[in-house]
Amino acid sequence: MTDQQQLILKIVIGSWETQSSRVTKLLNTLSDEKLLSETAKGRNSGFYLIGHLAAVSDALLPLMGWGEKLYPQLENIFLKNPEKASIEKPSLAQVKEYWATIDKKVSEYIHAMQFEEWFTRHNAVSAEDFAKEPFRNKMNILINRTNHMSYHLGQMIYLTEQKD
Amino acid sequence: MTDQQQLILKIVIGSWETQSSRVTKLLNTLSDEKLLSETAKGRNSGFYLIGHLAAVSDALLPLMGWGEKLYPQLENIFLKNPEKASIEKPSLAQVKEYWATIDKKVSEYIHAMQFEEWFTRHNAVSAEDFAKEPFRNKMNILINRTNHMSYHLGQMIYLTEQKD
């Protein structure tokens, strides 16, 4: 791996880990009562958003070819259905644990990736489409999911006390 | 530039442009009344967040060595002071125009960058520190600012109507 390639991975992976550690820090800072509250009137709670982020990270496992999802049940609850859907949901404590376990696992896989692997096809694009659109690779997914995490972090931060 | 380098730029620049076009789309979709509203109770308005994003993008010009800021007055209003500060502010129409002008200019500069330039020092890090921490380069800044834009997009989206 060249020095430049090392820098690229440091930046891209560092960006993911900066956001995910901010999520974890929020989880560890906010009370359960706060986490169960809406982030704004009529909007998703912190609980739902953590479950949503955990589900999206868990889905990276098959998407990146790392393996099976750890908690496939999260998809229906936190991706396919909105918070108000009348379906059984895990407890906040469980969701926090899912997040921590998935986040740790994803981080391990990310660090085990060789540079060239980041430029290979992810599993939501066919080999044929990938030949035409080679930017639909694993690096693209990680950067995209990092932005997705930032997006919801911007919402979860509304659970913290106002400054001033 | 190698094929792989082209892919990296396509992904990193594409990620920036995806987020910035989402901001622009929101601006063009929301009514002025909505944009002037708080994104959540007691939180920044859409107006302030657009001004804030415009100011951060404008600050990329000196930071990346592209030139002087277009609207240096934005820094005091949208970066150094909170929305409730009793200082004169531009109109929403002006802020929208600032955003559009700055965003276009930044996009031009981004596309004019050579691959190797992305790995050079940005102007908020000294040559001495950069020698020790070479990841503090221009690519890092762009990725970081893309996340920053996603973060506030997640808040501005609260100005849209609730989905069922």
Side-chain angles (χ1 to χ4, degrees):
Chain A
M1 191 153 58
T2 67
D3 286 354
Q4 195 174 73
Q5 289 172 342
Q6 274 181 331
L7 281 177
I8 291 168
L9 289 194
K10 187 174 175 65
I11 292 169
V12 172
I13 295 173
S15 176
W16 167 269
E17 293 188 333
T18 297
Q19 302 308 315
S20 78
S21 63
R22 289 181 69 195
V23 173
T24 300
K25 195 180 162 196
L26 256 183
L27 286 193
N28 295 336
T29 309
L30 291 167
S31 66
D32 285 3
E33 190 192 342
K34 279 282 179 190
L35 285 169
L36 291 166
S37 313
E38 291 175 338
T39 52
K41 188 168 179 302
R43 305 290 176 168
N44 290 320
S45 69
F47 161 80
Y48 183 85
L49 289 178
I50 301 155
H52 177 70
L53 290 176
V56 168
S57 285
D58 202 23
L60 284 175
L61 274 61
L63 190 59
M64 299 291 226
W66 295 334
E68 299 291 311
K69 287 182 185 178
L70 301 181
Y71 309 109
Q73 71 273 25
L74 297 180
E75 180 176 351
N76 191 50
I77 307 169
F78 295 109
L79 292 178
K80 292 195 170 167
N81 280 289
E83 182 157 18
K84 63 167 182 274
S86 301
I87 46 177
E88 203 184 335
K89 295 189 179 64
S91 68
L92 174 60
Q94 279 174 307
V95 168
K96 281 179 169 184
E97 201 176 306
Y98 293 151
W99 164 261
T101 307
I102 293 166
D103 186 52
K104 184 164 176 288
K105 184 60 76 182
V106 165
S107 189
E108 286 168 12
Y109 281 122
I110 284 176
H111 284 282
M113 291 267 279
Q114 298 299 305
F115 187 76
E116 295 299 332
E117 283 182 80
W118 286 105
F119 296 89
T120 59
R121 176 168 74 89
H122 62 72
N123 290 325
V125 60
S126 69
E128 195 185 359
D129 286 345
F130 185 63
K132 286 179 255 168
E133 302 181 312
F135 59 90
R136 298 175 72 179
N137 57 34
K138 291 172 184 167
M139 182 172 283
N140 203 1
I141 290 287
L142 188 69
I143 290 179
N144 174 299
R145 295 301 186 272
T146 304
N147 284 325
H148 176 258
M149 198 151 45
S150 303
Y151 181 91
H152 290 302
L153 253 173
Q155 299 170 340
M156 288 171 65
I157 206 76
Y158 282 174
L159 297 171
T160 61
E161 295 300 317
Q162 306 261 30
K163 287 179 199 150
D164 303 61
Chain B
M1 188 153 58
T2 67
D3 285 355
Q4 194 173 72
Q5 289 172 341
Q6 275 181 331
L7 281 178
I8 292 168
L9 290 194
K10 187 173 175 66
I11 291 168
V12 172
I13 295 174
S15 174
W16 168 269
E17 293 188 333
T18 297
Q19 302 307 317
S20 78
S21 62
R22 288 180 70 192
V23 172
T24 299
K25 195 180 162 196
L26 256 183
L27 287 193
N28 295 337
T29 309
L30 292 167
S31 67
D32 285 3
E33 191 191 341
K34 280 281 180 193
L35 285 169
L36 291 165
S37 313
E38 291 174 339
T39 51
K41 190 167 178 302
R43 305 290 177 168
N44 289 320
S45 69
F47 162 80
Y48 184 85
L49 289 178
I50 301 155
H52 177 70
L53 290 177
V56 168
S57 286
D58 202 23
L60 284 175
L61 274 61
L63 190 59
M64 299 291 226
W66 295 334
E68 299 291 312
K69 286 181 184 176
L70 301 181
Y71 309 109
Q73 71 274 24
L74 298 180
E75 179 176 350
N76 191 50
I77 306 168
F78 296 108
L79 293 178
K80 292 195 169 168
N81 280 289
E83 182 157 19
K84 63 168 183 271
S86 301
I87 47 177
E88 202 183 336
K89 295 188 178 66
S91 67
L92 174 59
Q94 280 175 308
V95 168
K96 282 179 167 184
E97 201 176 307
Y98 293 151
W99 164 261
T101 306
I102 293 166
D103 186 51
K104 184 164 175 286
K105 184 59 78 181
V106 165
S107 189
E108 286 168 12
Y109 282 122
I110 283 175
H111 284 281
M113 291 268 279
Q114 298 299 306
F115 186 77
E116 296 299 332
E117 282 183 80
W118 287 106
F119 296 89
T120 60
R121 176 169 74 88
H122 62 72
N123 289 326
V125 60
S126 69
E128 194 185 0
D129 287 346
F130 185 64
K132 286 178 255 168
E133 302 181 311
F135 59 89
R136 298 175 70 179
N137 58 33
K138 291 171 183 166
M139 182 172 282
N140 202 1
I141 290 286
L142 189 68
I143 290 178
N144 174 300
R145 295 300 185 276
T146 304
N147 284 326
H148 176 257
M149 199 151 44
S150 304
Y151 181 90
H152 290 302
L153 254 173
Q155 299 170 340
M156 288 171 65
I157 207 75
Y158 282 173
L159 297 171
T160 61
E161 295 301 316
Q162 306 260 30
K163 287 179 203 152
D164 295 302

